[in-house]
Coordinates of all heavy atoms in Angstrom, one line a residue:
M1400 N 4.5 -2.3 17.6 CA 3.7 -1.2 18.1 C 3.4 -0.2 17.0 O 4.2 -0.1 16.1 CB 4.7 -0.4 19.1 CG 5.0 -1.2 20.4 SD 5.8 -0.3 21.7 CE 7.1 0.4 20.9
L1401 N 2.3 0.5 17.2 CA 1.9 1.3 16.0 C 2.1 2.8 16.5 O 2.0 3.2 17.6 CB 0.4 1.2 15.7 CG 0.0 -0.1 15.2 CD1 -1.5 -0.2 15.0 CD2 0.6 -0.5 13.9
Y1402 N 2.6 3.6 15.4 CA 2.9 5.0 15.6 C 2.3 5.8 14.6 O 2.3 5.4 13.3 CB 4.5 5.2 15.5 CG 5.2 4.5 16.4 CD1 5.8 3.2 16.3 CD2 5.7 5.1 17.7 CE1 6.4 2.5 17.1 CE2 6.3 4.4 18.7 CZ 6.9 3.1 18.3 OH 7.7 2.4 19.2
M1403 N 1.7 6.9 15.0 CA 1.4 7.9 13.9 C 2.6 8.8 13.7 O 3.1 9.4 14.7 CB 0.2 8.8 14.4 CG -0.3 9.8 13.3 SD -1.7 10.8 13.9 CE -1.1 11.6 15.3
V1404 N 2.9 9.0 12.4 CA 4.1 9.8 12.1 C 3.6 10.9 11.2 O 3.0 10.6 10.1 CB 5.2 9.0 11.5 CG1 6.4 9.9 11.1 CG2 5.6 7.8 12.4
E1405 N 3.9 12.2 11.5 CA 3.5 13.3 10.8 C 4.9 13.8 10.2 O 5.8 14.1 11.0 CB 2.8 14.3 11.5 CG 1.5 13.8 12.0 CD 0.9 14.7 13.1 OE1 0.2 15.7 12.7 OE2 1.0 14.4 14.3
M1406 N 4.9 14.0 8.9 CA 6.1 14.5 8.3 C 5.7 15.8 7.3 O 4.8 15.7 6.6 CB 6.7 13.5 7.2 CG 7.0 12.1 7.9 SD 7.7 11.0 6.6 CE 7.3 9.4 7.4
I1407 N 6.6 16.9 7.6 CA 6.4 18.0 6.8 C 7.8 18.2 6.0 O 8.9 18.1 6.6 CB 6.3 19.2 7.7 CG1 5.0 19.1 8.5 CG2 6.2 20.5 6.8 CD1 4.7 20.2 9.5
V1408 N 7.6 18.2 4.7 CA 8.9 18.2 3.9 C 9.1 19.7 3.6 O 8.3 20.5 3.1 CB 8.6 17.4 2.5 CG1 9.8 17.4 1.7 CG2 8.0 16.0 2.8
Q1409 N 10.5 19.9 3.8 CA 10.9 21.5 3.4 C 12.3 21.4 2.7 O 13.3 21.3 3.3 CB 11.2 22.2 4.9 CG 9.7 22.4 5.6 CD 9.9 22.9 7.0 OE1 10.8 22.3 7.7 NE2 9.2 23.8 7.4
I1410 N 12.2 21.2 1.4 CA 13.4 21.1 0.6 C 13.9 22.6 0.3 O 13.1 23.4 -0.2 CB 13.2 20.4 -0.6 CG1 12.8 18.9 -0.3 CG2 14.4 20.4 -1.6 CD1 12.3 18.1 -1.6
P1411 N 15.0 22.9 0.7 CA 15.5 24.3 0.4 C 15.5 24.6 -1.0 O 15.8 23.9 -1.8 CB 17.0 24.4 1.0 CG 17.3 23.0 1.5 CD 16.1 22.0 1.3
Q1412 N 15.1 25.9 -1.3 CA 15.1 26.3 -2.8 C 16.5 26.2 -3.4 O 16.6 26.0 -4.6 CB 14.6 27.9 -2.8 CG 13.3 28.2 -2.4 CD 12.2 27.7 -3.4 OE1 12.5 27.4 -4.5 NE2 10.9 27.6 -2.9
S1413 N 17.6 26.3 -2.6 CA 18.9 26.3 -3.1 C 19.4 25.0 -3.5 O 20.4 24.8 -4.1 CB 19.8 26.9 -2.1 OG 19.8 26.1 -0.8
L1414 N 18.6 23.8 -3.1 CA 19.1 22.5 -3.5 C 19.0 22.3 -5.0 O 17.9 22.6 -5.6 CB 18.2 21.5 -2.7 CG 18.8 20.0 -2.8 CD1 20.1 20.0 -1.9 CD2 17.8 19.0 -2.2
D1415 N 20.0 21.7 -5.6 CA 19.9 21.4 -7.0 C 18.7 20.7 -7.4 O 18.5 19.6 -6.8 CB 21.3 20.7 -7.3 CG 21.3 20.1 -8.8 OD1 21.1 21.0 -9.7 OD2 21.4 19.0 -9.0
P1416 N 18.0 21.0 -8.4 CA 16.7 20.4 -8.7 C 16.9 19.0 -9.2 O 16.0 18.2 -8.8 CB 16.1 21.3 -9.9 CG 16.9 22.6 -9.8 CD 18.2 22.4 -9.2
E1417 N 18.0 18.6 -9.8 CA 18.2 17.3 -10.2 C 18.6 16.4 -9.1 O 18.0 15.2 -8.9 CB 19.4 17.2 -11.2 CG 19.1 17.5 -12.6 CD 20.2 17.3 -13.5 OE1 21.1 16.4 -13.2 OE2 20.2 18.0 -14.6
L1418 N 19.2 17.0 -7.9 CA 19.5 16.3 -6.8 C 18.2 16.0 -6.0 O 17.9 15.0 -5.4 CB 20.6 16.9 -6.0 CG 20.7 16.3 -4.6 CD1 21.3 14.9 -4.7 CD2 21.8 17.2 -3.8
A1419 N 17.4 17.1 -6.0 CA 16.1 17.0 -5.3 C 15.2 15.9 -5.9 O 14.6 15.1 -5.2 CB 15.3 18.3 -5.3
A1420 N 15.2 15.9 -7.2 CA 14.5 14.8 -7.9 C 14.9 13.4 -7.7 O 14.1 12.5 -7.5 CB 14.5 15.1 -9.4
K1421 N 16.2 13.3 -7.6 CA 16.7 11.9 -7.3 C 16.4 11.5 -5.8 O 16.1 10.4 -5.6 CB 18.3 12.1 -7.4 CG 19.1 11.0 -6.8 CD 19.3 9.8 -7.6 CE 20.3 8.7 -7.2 NZ 19.9 8.0 -6.2
I1422 N 16.6 12.5 -4.9 CA 16.2 12.1 -3.5 C 14.7 11.7 -3.4 O 14.3 10.8 -2.7 CB 16.5 13.5 -2.6 CG1 18.0 13.7 -2.5 CG2 15.9 13.2 -1.1 CD1 18.4 14.9 -1.8
K1423 N 13.8 12.4 -4.1 CA 12.3 12.1 -4.1 C 12.2 10.6 -4.7 O 11.4 10.0 -4.2 CB 11.6 13.1 -4.9 CG 11.4 14.4 -4.2 CD 10.6 15.4 -5.0 CE 10.8 16.8 -4.7 NZ 10.1 17.8 -5.5
L1424 N 12.8 10.4 -5.8 CA 12.7 8.9 -6.3 C 13.2 7.9 -5.3 O 12.6 6.9 -5.1 CB 13.6 8.9 -7.6 CG 12.8 9.1 -8.9 CD1 13.8 9.0 -10.2 CD2 11.6 8.3 -9.1
D1425 N 14.3 8.2 -4.7 CA 14.8 7.3 -3.7 C 13.9 7.1 -2.4 O 13.7 6.1 -2.0 CB 16.2 7.8 -3.1 CG 17.3 7.8 -4.1 OD1 17.2 7.1 -5.2 OD2 18.4 8.3 -3.9
E1426 N 13.3 8.3 -2.1 CA 12.3 8.3 -1.0 C 11.1 7.4 -1.4 O 10.6 6.6 -0.5 CB 11.8 9.7 -0.8 CG 10.8 9.9 0.3 CD 11.3 10.0 1.7 OE1 12.5 10.1 1.8 OE2 10.5 10.0 2.7
K1427 N 10.7 7.5 -2.7 CA 9.5 6.6 -3.1 C 9.9 5.1 -3.0 O 9.2 4.4 -2.5 CB 9.2 7.0 -4.6 CG 7.9 6.3 -5.0 CD 7.5 6.8 -6.5 CE 6.3 6.0 -6.8 NZ 5.8 6.6 -8.1
E1428 N 11.1 4.8 -3.5 CA 11.6 3.5 -3.5 C 11.6 2.9 -2.1 O 11.2 1.9 -1.7 CB 12.9 3.4 -4.2 CG 13.4 2.0 -4.5 CD 14.8 2.0 -5.2 OE1 15.0 3.0 -6.0 OE2 15.5 1.1 -5.0
Y1429 N 12.2 3.7 -1.1 CA 12.4 3.4 0.3 C 11.1 3.1 0.8 O 10.9 2.1 1.6 CB 13.3 4.4 0.9 CG 13.6 4.2 2.3 CD1 14.7 3.3 2.7 CD2 12.9 4.8 3.4 CE1 15.0 3.2 4.1 CE2 13.2 4.6 4.7 CZ 14.1 3.7 5.0 OH 14.5 3.5 6.4
S1430 N 10.1 4.1 0.7 CA 8.9 3.9 1.4 C 8.1 2.7 0.8 O 7.4 2.1 1.6 CB 8.1 5.3 1.3 OG 7.4 5.4 0.0
Q1431 N 8.1 2.5 -0.4 CA 7.4 1.4 -1.0 C 8.0 0.1 -0.5 O 7.3 -0.9 -0.3 CB 7.3 1.5 -2.5 CG 6.4 2.7 -2.9 CD 6.2 2.7 -4.4 OE1 6.8 2.1 -5.3 NE2 5.1 3.4 -4.7
K1432 N 9.3 0.0 -0.3 CA 10.0 -1.2 0.2 C 9.4 -1.5 1.7 O 8.9 -2.5 2.0 CB 11.4 -1.0 0.3 CG 12.2 -2.3 0.8 CD 13.6 -2.1 0.8 CE 14.3 -2.6 2.0 NZ 15.5 -1.9 2.4
L1433 N 9.3 -0.4 2.5 CA 8.8 -0.5 3.8 C 7.3 -0.9 3.9 O 6.9 -1.6 4.7 CB 9.1 0.7 4.7 CG 10.6 1.2 5.0 CD1 10.6 2.3 5.9 CD2 11.4 -0.1 5.5
Q1434 N 6.6 -0.3 2.9 CA 5.2 -0.6 2.8 C 5.0 -2.1 2.5 O 4.1 -2.8 3.0 CB 4.5 0.2 1.7 CG 4.3 1.7 2.2 CD 3.8 2.6 1.1 OE1 2.7 2.6 0.6 NE2 4.7 3.6 0.6
R1435 N 5.8 -2.7 1.5 CA 5.7 -4.0 1.1 C 6.1 -4.9 2.3 O 5.4 -6.0 2.5 CB 6.5 -4.2 -0.1 CG 5.9 -3.9 -1.4 CD 6.7 -4.4 -2.6 NE 7.9 -3.8 -2.7 CZ 8.1 -2.6 -3.5 NH1 7.0 -2.1 -4.1 NH2 9.3 -2.0 -3.7
Q1436 N 7.0 -4.5 3.1 CA 7.4 -5.3 4.3 C 6.4 -5.2 5.4 O 6.6 -5.9 6.5 CB 8.8 -4.8 4.9 CG 9.9 -5.1 3.8 CD 11.3 -4.5 4.3 OE1 12.2 -4.7 3.6 NE2 11.4 -3.8 5.4
G1437 N 5.4 -4.3 5.4 CA 4.4 -4.1 6.4 C 4.8 -3.2 7.5 O 4.0 -3.1 8.5
Q1438 N 6.0 -2.6 7.4 CA 6.4 -1.6 8.5 C 5.8 -0.2 8.3 O 5.7 0.5 9.3 CB 7.8 -1.5 8.5 CG 8.5 -2.9 9.0 CD 10.0 -2.9 8.6 OE1 10.4 -2.8 7.5 NE2 10.9 -2.9 9.6
W1439 N 5.4 0.1 7.0 CA 4.7 1.4 6.8 C 3.3 1.1 6.4 O 3.0 0.8 5.2 CB 5.5 2.2 5.7 CG 5.4 3.6 5.5 CD1 4.1 4.3 5.6 CD2 6.2 4.6 5.1 NE1 4.2 5.6 5.4 CE2 5.5 5.8 5.1 CE3 7.5 4.5 4.8 CZ2 6.2 7.1 4.8 CZ3 8.2 5.8 4.5 CH2 7.5 7.0 4.4
R1440 N 2.4 1.1 7.4 CA 1.1 0.6 7.1 C 0.1 1.5 6.3 O -0.6 1.1 5.4 CB 0.3 0.3 8.5 CG 1.0 -0.7 9.3 CD 0.3 -2.0 9.1 NE 0.6 -2.9 10.3 CZ -0.2 -3.2 11.1 NH1 -1.5 -2.6 11.1 NH2 0.0 -4.0 12.2
H1441 N 0.2 2.8 6.5 CA -0.6 3.7 5.8 C 0.3 5.0 5.4 O 1.1 5.5 6.3 CB -1.8 4.3 6.6 CG -2.8 3.3 6.8 ND1 -3.8 2.9 6.0 CD2 -2.9 2.3 8.0 CE1 -4.5 1.9 6.5 NE2 -3.9 1.5 7.6
L1442 N 0.0 5.5 4.3 CA 0.7 6.8 3.8 C -0.4 7.7 3.2 O -1.0 7.4 2.2 CB 1.9 6.5 2.8 CG 2.5 7.6 2.1 CD1 3.0 8.6 3.0 CD2 3.5 7.0 1.2
W1443 N -0.7 8.8 3.8 CA -1.6 9.7 3.4 C -1.0 11.1 3.2 O -0.2 11.6 3.9 CB -2.9 9.9 4.4 CG -3.4 8.7 4.7 CD1 -3.3 7.8 5.8 CD2 -4.5 8.1 4.0 NE1 -4.1 6.6 5.7 CE2 -4.9 6.9 4.5 CE3 -5.2 8.5 2.8 CZ2 -5.9 6.0 4.0 CZ3 -6.3 7.7 2.3 CH2 -6.6 6.5 3.0
R1444 N -1.5 11.8 2.0 CA -1.1 13.1 1.8 C -1.9 14.0 2.6 O -3.2 13.8 2.8 CB -1.2 13.4 0.3 CG -1.0 14.8 -0.1 CD 0.4 15.4 0.2 NE 1.3 14.9 -0.8 CZ 2.7 14.5 -0.5 NH1 3.1 14.5 0.8 NH2 3.5 14.1 -1.4
V1445 N -1.4 15.1 3.2 CA -2.3 16.1 3.9 C -2.6 17.1 2.8 O -1.8 17.7 2.2 CB -1.4 16.8 5.1 CG1 -2.2 17.9 5.6 CG2 -0.9 15.8 6.1
V1446 N -3.9 17.2 2.7 CA -4.4 18.1 1.6 C -3.9 19.5 1.7 O -4.0 20.2 2.7 CB -6.0 18.2 1.6 CG1 -6.5 19.1 0.4 CG2 -6.5 16.6 1.3
G1447 N -3.3 19.9 0.5 CA -3.0 21.3 0.5 C -1.5 21.6 1.1 O -1.2 22.8 1.1
E1448 N -0.9 20.5 1.6 CA 0.4 20.7 2.2 C 1.4 19.7 1.6 O 1.1 18.6 1.1 CB 0.4 20.5 3.7 CG -0.5 21.5 4.4 CD -0.6 21.3 5.9 OE1 0.4 20.7 6.5 OE2 -1.6 21.6 6.4
Y1449 N 2.7 20.0 1.6 CA 3.8 19.1 1.2 C 4.0 18.3 2.5 O 5.1 18.6 3.2 CB 5.0 19.8 0.7 CG 6.0 18.9 0.0 CD1 5.8 17.5 -0.1 CD2 7.2 19.4 -0.5 CE1 6.7 16.6 -0.7 CE2 8.1 18.5 -1.2 CZ 7.8 17.2 -1.2 OH 8.7 16.4 -1.9
A1450 N 3.1 17.5 2.9 CA 3.2 16.8 4.2 C 2.4 15.6 4.1 O 1.5 15.4 3.2 CB 2.6 17.6 5.3
N1451 N 2.7 14.6 5.0 CA 1.9 13.4 5.0 C 1.7 12.9 6.5 O 2.4 13.4 7.3 CB 2.7 12.3 4.2 CG 3.9 11.7 4.9 OD1 3.9 11.0 5.9 ND2 5.2 12.0 4.4
V1452 N 0.8 12.1 6.6 CA 0.4 11.4 7.9 C 0.6 9.9 7.6 O 0.0 9.5 6.7 CB -1.0 11.8 8.4 CG1 -1.3 10.9 9.6 CG2 -1.1 13.2 8.7
S1453 N 1.4 9.2 8.3 CA 1.6 7.8 8.2 C 1.4 7.0 9.4 O 1.5 7.6 10.6 CB 3.1 7.7 7.7 OG 3.2 8.2 6.4
I1454 N 1.2 5.8 9.2 CA 1.1 4.8 10.4 C 2.2 3.8 10.2 O 2.3 3.1 9.1 CB -0.2 4.0 10.4 CG1 -1.4 5.0 10.6 CG2 -0.2 3.1 11.7 CD1 -1.4 5.8 11.9
F1455 N 3.1 3.8 11.2 CA 4.2 2.8 11.1 C 4.0 1.7 12.1 O 3.3 1.9 13.1 CB 5.6 3.4 11.5 CG 6.1 4.1 10.3 CD1 5.7 5.4 9.9 CD2 7.2 3.6 9.7 CE1 6.3 6.1 8.8 CE2 7.8 4.3 8.5 CZ 7.4 5.5 8.1
D1456 N 4.5 0.5 11.8 CA 4.5 -0.7 12.7 C 6.0 -1.1 13.0 O 6.6 -1.5 12.1 CB 3.7 -1.8 12.1 CG 3.5 -3.0 13.1 OD1 3.9 -2.9 14.3 OD2 2.7 -3.9 12.7
A1457 N 6.4 -0.7 14.2 CA 7.8 -1.1 14.5 C 7.8 -1.7 15.9 O 6.9 -1.6 16.7 CB 8.6 0.2 14.5
S1458 N 8.9 -2.5 16.1 CA 8.9 -3.4 17.3 C 9.4 -2.4 18.5 O 9.2 -2.8 19.7 CB 9.9 -4.5 17.1 OG 11.2 -4.0 16.8
S1459 N 10.0 -1.3 18.3 CA 10.4 -0.4 19.4 C 10.7 0.9 19.0 O 10.7 1.1 17.7 CB 11.8 -1.0 19.9 OG 12.7 -0.9 18.9
N1460 N 10.9 1.8 19.8 CA 11.2 3.3 19.4 C 12.5 3.4 18.7 O 12.7 4.1 17.7 CB 11.4 4.1 20.7 CG 10.1 4.3 21.5 OD1 9.0 4.0 21.0 ND2 10.1 4.7 22.7
D1461 N 13.5 2.5 19.1 CA 14.8 2.5 18.4 C 14.6 2.1 16.9 O 15.2 2.6 16.1 CB 15.7 1.6 19.1 CG 16.3 2.2 20.4 OD1 16.2 3.4 20.5 OD2 16.6 1.4 21.3
E1462 N 13.8 0.9 16.7 CA 13.6 0.5 15.4 C 12.8 1.6 14.4 O 13.3 1.8 13.4 CB 12.7 -0.8 15.3 CG 12.5 -1.3 13.9 CD 11.7 -2.5 13.8 OE1 10.5 -2.3 13.8 OE2 12.2 -3.6 13.6
L1463 N 11.9 2.2 15.0 CA 11.2 3.3 14.2 C 12.2 4.4 14.0 O 12.2 5.0 12.9 CB 10.0 3.9 15.2 CG 9.4 5.0 14.4 CD1 8.6 4.4 13.1 CD2 8.3 5.7 15.2
H1464 N 13.0 4.8 14.9 CA 14.0 5.9 14.7 C 15.0 5.5 13.6 O 15.2 6.2 12.7 CB 14.8 6.2 15.9 CG 15.7 7.3 15.7 ND1 15.4 8.6 15.8 CD2 17.0 7.4 15.5 CE1 16.4 9.5 15.5 NE2 17.5 8.7 15.2
T1465 N 15.3 4.2 13.5 CA 16.2 3.7 12.5 C 15.5 3.8 11.2 O 16.1 4.2 10.1 CB 16.6 2.2 12.7 OG1 17.3 2.2 14.0 CG2 17.5 1.7 11.6
L1466 N 14.2 3.4 11.1 CA 13.5 3.5 9.8 C 13.3 4.9 9.3 O 13.6 5.3 8.1 CB 12.1 2.9 10.0 CG 11.9 1.5 10.3 CD1 10.4 1.0 10.6 CD2 12.5 0.6 9.1
L1467 N 13.0 5.8 10.3 CA 12.9 7.2 9.9 C 14.1 8.0 9.5 O 14.1 8.7 8.6 CB 12.1 8.0 11.0 CG 10.7 7.5 11.4 CD1 10.1 8.3 12.6 CD2 9.8 7.6 10.2
S1468 N 15.2 7.6 10.3 CA 16.4 8.3 9.9 C 17.0 7.8 8.6 O 17.9 8.4 8.2 CB 17.4 8.3 11.1 OG 17.7 6.9 11.4
G1469 N 16.6 6.7 8.1 CA 17.0 6.2 6.8 C 16.2 6.8 5.6 O 16.6 6.5 4.5
L1470 N 15.3 7.6 5.9 CA 14.5 8.2 4.8 C 15.4 9.2 4.1 O 16.1 10.1 4.7 CB 13.3 9.1 5.4 CG 12.1 8.4 6.0 CD1 11.2 9.4 6.8 CD2 11.3 7.8 4.8
P1471 N 15.4 9.1 2.8 CA 16.3 9.9 2.0 C 15.9 11.5 2.1 O 16.9 12.3 2.1 CB 16.1 9.5 0.5 CG 15.7 8.1 0.6 CD 14.9 8.0 1.8
L1472 N 14.6 11.7 2.5 CA 14.3 13.1 2.7 C 14.4 13.5 4.2 O 14.1 14.6 4.5 CB 12.7 13.3 2.3 CG 12.6 13.5 0.8 CD1 11.0 13.5 0.5 CD2 13.1 14.8 0.3
F1473 N 15.0 12.5 5.0 CA 15.1 12.9 6.5 C 15.7 14.2 6.8 O 15.3 14.9 7.7 CB 15.9 11.7 7.1 CG 15.9 11.9 8.6 CD1 14.8 11.6 9.4 CD2 17.1 12.3 9.2 CE1 15.0 11.8 10.9 CE2 17.2 12.5 10.6 CZ 16.0 12.2 11.3
P1474 N 16.9 14.6 6.1 CA 17.4 15.9 6.4 C 16.5 17.1 6.1 O 16.9 18.2 6.5 CB 18.7 15.9 5.5 CG 18.9 14.5 5.1 CD 17.6 13.9 5.0
Y1475 N 15.4 16.9 5.3 CA 14.7 18.0 4.9 C 13.2 17.8 5.4 O 12.3 18.5 4.8 CB 14.7 18.0 3.3 CG 16.0 17.8 2.7 CD1 16.4 16.8 2.0 CD2 16.8 19.0 2.8 CE1 17.6 16.7 1.5 CE2 18.1 18.9 2.2 CZ 18.5 17.8 1.6 OH 19.8 17.7 1.1
M1476 N 13.1 17.1 6.5 CA 11.8 17.0 7.1 C 11.7 17.3 8.6 O 12.6 17.2 9.3 CB 11.3 15.5 6.9 CG 11.1 15.1 5.5 SD 10.0 13.6 5.2 CE 11.0 12.4 5.9
Q1477 N 10.5 17.8 8.9 CA 10.2 17.9 10.4 C 9.4 16.8 10.6 O 8.4 16.5 9.9 CB 9.3 19.1 10.6 CG 10.0 20.4 11.0 CD 9.0 21.5 11.2 OE1 8.9 22.4 10.4 NE2 8.3 21.5 12.4
I1478 N 9.6 16.0 11.6 CA 8.8 14.7 11.9 C 8.3 14.7 13.3 O 9.0 15.1 14.3 CB 9.8 13.6 11.7 CG1 10.2 13.4 10.3 CG2 9.0 12.2 12.0 CD1 11.2 12.2 10.0
K1479 N 7.1 14.4 13.5 CA 6.4 14.3 14.8 C 5.9 12.8 15.0 O 5.2 12.4 14.1 CB 5.3 15.4 14.9 CG 4.6 15.2 16.2 CD 3.5 16.3 16.4 CE 2.7 16.0 17.7 NZ 1.3 16.5 17.6
V1480 N 6.3 12.3 16.1 CA 5.9 10.8 16.2 C 4.9 10.8 17.5 O 5.2 11.4 18.5 CB 7.2 9.9 16.6 CG1 6.7 8.5 16.9 CG2 8.1 10.0 15.4
T1481 N 3.8 10.0 17.2 CA 2.9 9.9 18.3 C 2.6 8.3 18.5 O 2.0 7.7 17.6 CB 1.5 10.5 18.0 OG1 1.6 11.9 17.6 CG2 0.5 10.4 19.1
P1482 N 3.1 7.7 19.5 CA 2.8 6.3 19.8 C 1.3 6.0 20.0 O 0.6 6.9 20.7 CB 3.5 6.0 21.1 CG 4.4 7.1 21.4 CD 3.8 8.3 20.7
L1483 N 0.8 4.9 19.5 CA -0.7 4.7 19.6 C -0.9 3.4 20.4 O -0.1 2.5 20.4 CB -1.2 4.4 18.1 CG -1.1 5.6 17.1 CD1 -1.6 5.1 15.8 CD2 -1.8 6.7 17.5
A1484 N -2.1 3.5 21.2 CA -2.5 2.4 22.0 C -3.8 2.0 21.6 O -4.6 2.7 20.9 CB -2.5 2.7 23.4
N1485 N -4.3 0.7 21.9 CA -5.7 0.3 21.5 C -6.7 1.2 22.3 O -6.6 1.6 23.4 CB -5.9 -1.1 21.9 CG -5.1 -2.0 21.0 OD1 -5.2 -2.0 19.7 ND2 -4.4 -3.0 21.5
H1486 N -7.8 1.5 21.6 CA -8.9 2.2 22.1 C -9.9 1.1 22.7 O -10.1 0.3 21.9 CB -9.5 3.1 21.2 CG -10.5 4.0 21.8 ND1 -11.8 3.7 22.3 CD2 -10.4 5.4 22.0 CE1 -12.4 4.7 22.9 NE2 -11.6 5.8 22.7
P1487 N -10.3 1.3 24.0 CA -11.2 0.2 24.5 C -12.5 0.0 23.8 O -13.0 -1.0 23.8 CB -11.4 0.7 25.9 CG -11.1 2.1 26.0 CD -10.1 2.3 24.9
S1488 N -12.9 1.0 22.9 CA -14.2 0.9 22.3 C -14.0 0.3 20.8 O -15.0 0.2 20.1 CB -14.9 2.2 22.2 OG -15.1 2.7 23.5
S1489 N -12.7 0.3 20.4 CA -12.5 -0.2 19.0 C -12.9 -1.7 18.9 O -12.5 -2.5 19.7 CB -11.0 0.1 18.6 OG -10.7 -0.4 17.4
I1490 N -13.4 -2.0 17.7 CA -13.7 -3.4 17.5 C -12.6 -4.1 16.8 O -12.6 -5.3 16.7 CB -15.1 -3.6 16.6 CG1 -14.9 -2.9 15.3 CG2 -16.3 -3.0 17.4 CD1 -16.0 -3.4 14.2
V1491 N -11.5 -3.3 16.5 CA -10.4 -3.8 16.0 C -9.2 -3.7 16.9 O -8.9 -2.6 17.3 CB -10.0 -3.3 14.6 CG1 -8.7 -3.9 14.1 CG2 -11.1 -3.3 13.6
Q1492 N -8.7 -4.7 17.5 CA -7.5 -4.7 18.4 C -6.3 -5.1 17.7 O -6.3 -6.2 17.2 CB -7.7 -5.6 19.6 CG -9.0 -5.2 20.4 CD -8.9 -3.9 21.1 OE1 -7.9 -3.5 21.8 NE2 -9.9 -3.1 20.9
E1493 N -5.3 -4.3 17.7 CA -4.1 -4.6 16.9 C -2.9 -4.9 17.9 O -2.9 -4.5 18.9 CB -3.7 -3.4 16.1 CG -4.7 -3.0 15.1 CD -4.2 -2.9 13.7 OE1 -3.1 -3.6 13.4 OE2 -4.8 -2.4 12.9
Ligands
LIG591 O1 6.1 13.4 -0.2 C1 6.1 13.2 1.0 O2 5.2 13.2 1.8 C2 7.4 12.5 1.5 C3 7.4 11.1 1.4 C4 7.2 10.1 2.2 C5 7.2 8.8 1.5 C6 7.4 9.2 0.1 O3 7.4 8.5 -0.9 O4 7.4 10.6 0.0

């Protein structure tokens, strides 16, 4: 199943900058692993915001929740999930 996932990152100013840098590196590694596995299909930056829009492919809501809650930045993000269905006019059916 495909999901549109919108993430807004809000790292507190009080967080140690070295720790913040480490979490961002871990986030990159984690996201690239999921992208290589095909579970994180698209990752787009929202222009002008510390936010992204992504497309995930997960077998269930529970699997998606596990993937998202494993994000190193999870404690510092607002996440909105929208499940996607095929559009009848689309020439690509997933
Ligand atoms: O910078 C972001 O939008 C948060 C993020 C998600 C995957 C990644 O590598 O960074």
Side-chain angles (χ1 to χ4, degrees):
M1400 296 195 306
L1401 296 178
Y1402 299 87
M1403 178 177 70
V1404 179
E1405 297 167 79
M1406 304 181 202
I1407 299 172
V1408 185
Q1409 292 165 320
I1410 299 176
Q1412 296 285 349
S1413 57
L1414 193 71
D1415 173 53
E1417 280 186 22
L1418 178 58
K1421 165 84 169 73
I1422 294 170
K1423 287 180 198 173
L1424 268 182
D1425 291 348
E1426 179 85 6
K1427 182 174 183 174
E1428 192 179 327
Y1429 181 82
S1430 77
Q1431 291 188 341
K1432 185 176 132 209
L1433 296 186
Q1434 288 171 69
R1435 281 191 287 271
Q1436 290 174 181
Q1438 291 162 299
W1439 196 322
R1440 295 269 200 100
H1441 293 274
L1442 170 57
W1443 297 97
R1444 175 62 78 218
V1445 178
V1446 175
E1448 295 179 32
Y1449 193 2
N1451 71 70
V1452 174
S1453 293
I1454 303 294
F1455 278 77
D1456 188 354
S1458 59
S1459 65
N1460 293 346
D1461 287 337
E1462 183 184 79
L1463 181 66
H1464 185 76
T1465 300
L1466 296 177
L1467 296 179
S1468 56
L1470 289 165
L1472 280 172
F1473 184 76
Y1475 309 108
M1476 290 198 293
Q1477 262 181 260
I1478 299 179
K1479 181 181 171 204
V1480 174
T1481 307
L1483 301 175
N1485 286 315
H1486 192 289
S1488 302
S1489 173
I1490 61 167
V1491 179
Q1492 300 295 310
E1493 299 235 21

